[in-house]
Amino acid sequence: MTSADQPAPALTFARPVQVTVWGENRHEQAEPEVAARYPQGMHGAIAEGIRNNLGEASAVRTVTLDDPEHGLTEEVLASTDVLVWWGHAAHGEVADDVVERVHRHVLEGMGLIVLHSGHWSKIFMKLMGTTCTLRWRTEHDRELIWTVDPTHPIAQGIPHPMIIDEDEMYGEHFDVPAPDELIFLSTFSGGEVFRSGMTYRRGYGKIFYFRPGDQDFPTYFHEGVRRVISNGVQWAVTHRPERTTPTLLRYETEDFYTGHGYQGPMESDAESAAQSRAPSAASSEGTSEEAHA
C-alpha cells in the first residue's frame, strides 16, 4: 500500500465540524455540458467529497448565490466552522454587505477555503488586499501537484506528485501576498508553475487557497483533490470559546488580564475637550439669564 492509498489521520473534535459549501451555481444552470458533468452542482460534488472523507466528523450543507442573502445569513455564518467558496462568472453579483459579513466572521475565527477561480472573489481580494490576478489557459493541460511541505496536516495522504490528467492552467505571477505556508506547487504541460496550495491567517481566521477545479473538467470527483479539501477543512477550524473580533484594549501596569475599551487618542481628546466646555457653557447661560432679569 502506498502513502496515497492510506487514509489521512483523522483529527478528533468534540463535535462534528460544521461546514458550509458556497457555490455560485451559474455554469450548471446555463451550460448543459456542465450540468451533465456535475448533476448535483459543483457545490454538491465538493460537499460529497467532504462527507466521504470526514464522515460523521463533519456536518456539511450547501448554499448558492441565488439563495436569499446568497445563503450566507448571520445565522448560517455564526454556526459555520469552515466556509468553502467556489465562484467564477458572477463575482460582481455577490452583495457587498454579505461580503462584509463573511469578512467579519473570518476575522472572528471562521475558517475559509477558497477554490480555483475564487481567487477573484470579492471576499478573497478583500482579505488579500491585492489584485489576485494570474495567467491562465483552458487547453486540457495535465497538472502535476507537488507537495512542498510534506509535514503539513493538509498534505497528509496526498500522493507526490498528485496527477490531474486534464484541467485549466493557472500560472505565475499570482498577485497575492507571500503566504504563511506554501504547501503545494503545480506544474503544467506548457511548463508553467503555480503556487497552488497556500495558507493565510487573518484575525482569528485561517484561510486555505487551493487551485484545482474548473467547471469544464470533472476535477471535484478526483479523490486526491477531495482529500486535500477535506484536510483543509479540518485544518481551518479555529478552537476558541466564542467568536469575537480582535479588539484594541488598554491594560494598566501589572494588570495582565483585564483590558479596557480604548477609543484612540483623537477621540479621547475630543471627548475631554467637550467635557471641559460643558461647565463654561452652563455658566455662560446662567450669566445671560441674570443679566436679562
Side-chain angles (χ1 to χ4, degrees):
M1 178 180 290
T2 67
S3 60
D5 298 322
Q6 297 173 353
L11 299 178
T12 302
F13 300 104
R15 57 171 176 76
V17 177
Q18 304 298 306
V19 184
T20 300
V21 177
W22 187 89
E24 184 181 274
N25 199 36
R26 281 287 190 267
H27 293 285
E28 299 92 323
Q29 297 180 68
E31 302 173 40
E33 64 276 15
V34 178
R37 187 174 298 118
Y38 290 103
Q40 303 302 318
M42 299 180 74
H43 51 285
I46 294 165
E48 179 184 72
I50 297 170
R51 293 189 188 103
N52 289 351
N53 277 281
L54 301 187
E56 295 182 357
S58 68
V60 187
R61 63 185 160 196
T62 61
V63 296
T64 66
L65 178 64
D66 289 332
D67 291 333
E69 300 183 60
H70 310 321
L72 301 174
T73 64
E74 179 63 31
E75 292 73 20
V76 166
L77 293 176
S79 62
T80 297
D81 294 315
V82 180
L83 175 63
V84 182
W85 189 285
W86 192 96
H88 179 240
H91 297 310
E93 294 183 37
V94 179
D96 290 342
D97 61 329
V98 173
V99 175
E100 290 295 332
R101 187 184 303 152
V102 173
H103 183 262
R104 172 170 55 82
H105 276 275
V106 171
L107 296 185
E108 292 178 350
M110 182 182 72
L112 179 64
I113 312 296
V114 177
L115 300 174
H116 192 61
S117 46
H119 71 88
W120 240 12
S121 63
K122 288 182 179 180
I123 182 58
F124 190 66
M125 293 178 69
K126 183 177 180 66
L127 288 162
M128 295 297 103
T130 58
T131 66
C132 299
T133 53
L134 43 78
R135 64 173 63 191
W136 66 277
R137 175 179 64 245
T138 301
E139 294 292 345
H140 302 272
D141 277 81
R142 185 182 74 162
E143 178 178 8
L144 301 181
I145 301 178
W146 303 89
T147 300
V148 175
D149 184 358
T151 68
H152 198 282
I154 296 177
Q156 299 312 299
I158 307 304
H160 178 68
M162 180 166 68
I163 302 172
I164 301 177
D165 291 330
E166 292 185 311
D167 209 350
E168 185 177 35
M169 184 280 292
Y170 278 8
E172 297 288 346
H173 172 59
F174 187 18
D175 184 24
V176 291
D180 294 332
E181 300 162 307
L182 177 62
I183 306 169
F184 301 115
L185 179 72
S186 289
T187 58
F188 295 87
S189 305
E192 297 86 357
V193 298
F194 190 77
R195 292 167 290 167
S196 53
M198 299 182 286
T199 70
Y200 297 90
R201 287 168 175 79
R202 294 292 185 268
Y204 295 127
K206 298 178 182 179
I207 303 164
F208 174 49
Y209 174 79
F210 188 48
R211 194 218 71 83
D214 187 73
Q215 71 279 353
D216 291 334
F217 305 97
T219 309
Y220 290 125
F221 295 106
H222 189 292
E223 290 302 324
V225 170
R226 287 182 161 193
R227 184 175 293 182
V228 169
I229 295 171
S230 301
N231 289 354
V233 164
Q234 290 189 302
W235 170 85
V237 176
T238 297
H239 297 283
R240 303 188 69 245
E242 60 180 338
R243 188 171 289 179
T244 57
T245 305
T247 304
L248 176 66
L249 298 174
R250 175 185 172 85
Y251 286 80
E252 302 298 334
T253 304
E254 297 298 324
D255 182 357
F256 304 117
Y257 305 107
T258 307
H260 306 280
Y262 179 63
Q263 294 175 301
M266 295 192 68
E267 290 85 349
S268 298
D269 291 346
E271 184 177 328
S272 299
Q275 291 175 349
S276 66
R277 286 195 299 269
S280 62
S283 174
S284 174
E285 183 179 346
T287 304
S288 177
E289 290 177 352
E290 290 173 2
H292 179 72

